[in-house]
């Protein structure tokens, strides 16, 4: 994307996670600052593109499960990212056409593309709201969310590769608890999160330095730190694992190594 195509409200000199992720997935909706930031991250985590691809595969598998076997008909997808093949509503509505989806992001480019490209099946509904995960109360109070989703019925809260952008100063566990506490019993929470489990101390220092230089706040977390989010929830099998190993649809010899992907995930039910 050229700088003369910049929508109002966008600073093309500042990298954004959604556009950077778009670059890793091979998209074209990104600026030079996003590409430079992405390549900076890759200096500390050379397999980051693979991680992005495997994370996207996990999202499609889990939505297939939720819309089908689990019978979930409502999805709140926070940190939507730019549209690409197999978005949440496409996967869900192919299985259950009446599914209702609210997409949330804080990048005007994401919202512009979403409104133009993410067309709901006639029986269902989609909405796209501009909100920041760091202000969960405002997000939950958004009129479009309340109009589209019935928070008295089970909802799937999708936190796909987003919580690692919430650094400790933003109090990630408080944010998570605020979202969790509005979900009725039978709801499900899906999260994937970059991990430092497989890094030696020197490698971790290098990765943290690369993330700092990338210009996008980022916090790798261990399995222990990730597990803390799910206190009081019912983890679904296989529990906390790599995105590579969550109910895979490929044989083990065709899947990448979990340390190359370095992305934890879990799906939990609200009791």
């Amino acid at each position: 994307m050229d700088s003369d195509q910049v929508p109002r409200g966008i600073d093309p000199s500042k990298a954004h996670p959604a556009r950077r992720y778009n670059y890793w997935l091979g998209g074209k909706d990104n600026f030079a600052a996003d590409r430079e930031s992405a390549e900076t991250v890759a200096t500390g985590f050379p397999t980051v593109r693979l991680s992005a691809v495997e994370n996207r595969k996990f999202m499609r598998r889990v939505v297939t499960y939720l819309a089908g076997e689990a019978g979930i008909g409502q999805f709140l997808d926070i940190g939507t990212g730019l549209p690409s093949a197999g978005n949440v509503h496409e996967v869900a509505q192919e299985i259950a056409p009446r599914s209702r989806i609210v997409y949330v992001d804080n990048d005007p480019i994401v919202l512009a593309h979403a409104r133009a490209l993410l067309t709901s099946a006639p029986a269902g509904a989609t909405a796209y709201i501009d909100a920041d995960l760091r202000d969960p109360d405002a997000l939950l109070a958004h009129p479009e969310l309340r109009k589209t989703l019935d928070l008295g019925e089970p909802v799937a809260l999708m936190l796909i590769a987003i919580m690692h952008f919430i650094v400790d100063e933003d109090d990630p566990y408080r944010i998570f608890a605020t979202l969790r506490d509005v979900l009725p019993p039978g709801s499900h929470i899906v999260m994937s999160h970059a991990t430092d489990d497989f890094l030696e101390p020197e490698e971790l220092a290098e990765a943290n330095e690369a993330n700092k230089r990338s210009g996008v706040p980022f916090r790798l977390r261990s399995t222990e730190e990730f597990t803390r989010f799910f206190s009081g929830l019912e983890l679904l099998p296989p529990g906390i694992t790599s995105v590579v190993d969550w109910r895979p649809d490929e044989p083990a010899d065709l899947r990448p190594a979990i340390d190359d992907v370095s992305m934890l995930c879990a799906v939990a039910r609200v009791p």
Side-chain angles (χ1 to χ4, degrees):
M1 183 175 288
D2 298 326
S3 59
D4 58 359
Q5 298 174 300
V6 179
R8 181 177 299 177
I10 289 290
D11 180 0
S13 67
K14 184 177 180 179
H16 189 279
R19 300 193 303 269
R20 193 172 69 178
Y21 193 68
N22 172 261
Y23 171 72
W24 283 325
L25 291 175
K28 300 182 183 301
D29 296 306
N30 47 75
F31 298 113
D34 305 306
R35 297 187 288 273
E36 181 179 345
S37 175
E39 293 300 335
T40 299
V41 171
T43 64
F45 182 23
T47 55
V48 63
R49 190 184 300 271
L50 174 65
S51 182
V53 169
E54 291 299 320
N55 185 71
R56 188 77 179 178
K57 290 180 180 179
F58 161 71
M59 182 274 287
R60 293 169 187 161
R61 294 196 306 275
V62 78
V63 173
T64 298
Y65 163 77
L66 291 171
E69 186 177 338
I72 298 294
Q74 302 188 106
F75 295 81
L76 176 57
D77 183 7
I78 303 178
T80 300
L82 283 145
S84 62
N87 300 288
V88 168
H89 79 284
E90 292 172 323
V91 178
Q93 290 181 347
E94 183 176 354
I95 298 166
R98 296 176 63 86
S99 298
R100 307 176 70 84
I101 295 90
V102 171
Y103 291 109
V104 182
D105 214 301
N106 66 345
D107 178 30
I109 290 181
V110 171
L111 296 171
H113 279 266
R115 292 187 175 113
L117 298 175
L118 300 184
T119 304
S120 173
T126 57
Y128 330 100
I129 66 176
D130 183 359
D132 194 319
L133 177 57
R134 289 166 293 191
D135 188 356
D137 293 309
L139 188 161
L140 292 168
H142 197 288
E144 281 298 314
L145 187 153
R146 297 288 177 163
K147 176 182 175 182
T148 308
L149 302 181
D150 178 0
L151 296 183
E153 297 294 330
V155 175
L157 172 61
M158 309 289 292
L159 297 169
I160 302 294
I162 184 66
M163 289 302 292
H164 44 227
F165 296 111
I166 306 300
V167 295
D168 294 346
E169 291 79 2
D170 294 323
D171 199 350
Y173 299 104
R174 176 194 62 81
I175 290 172
F176 182 87
T178 301
L179 297 170
R180 178 200 63 209
D181 289 349
V182 303
L183 299 177
S187 294
H188 288 63
I189 300 177
V190 180
M191 190 192 304
S192 61
H193 195 299
T195 184
D196 57 11
D197 280 359
F198 306 103
L199 298 177
E200 297 296 332
E202 308 80 34
E203 295 172 319
L204 176 58
E206 185 178 355
N208 285 337
E209 178 59 28
N211 282 321
K212 183 177 180 180
R213 288 187 287 110
S214 78
V216 176
F218 197 87
R219 172 67 155 83
L220 293 164
R221 291 188 172 94
S222 66
T223 294
E224 181 179 1
E225 291 171 311
F226 182 73
T227 301
R228 182 180 163 191
F229 285 108
F230 296 93
S231 177
L233 299 172
E234 299 174 0
L235 285 169
L236 274 61
I240 292 171
T241 187
S242 167
V243 294
V244 174
D245 292 335
W246 195 91
R247 306 191 183 190
D249 51 17
E250 296 176 314
D253 60 341
L254 295 181
R255 301 198 298 270
I258 61 173
D259 53 339
D260 285 341
V261 175
S262 288
M263 187 78 71
L264 297 171
C265 74
V267 180
R269 185 179 182 276
V270 178

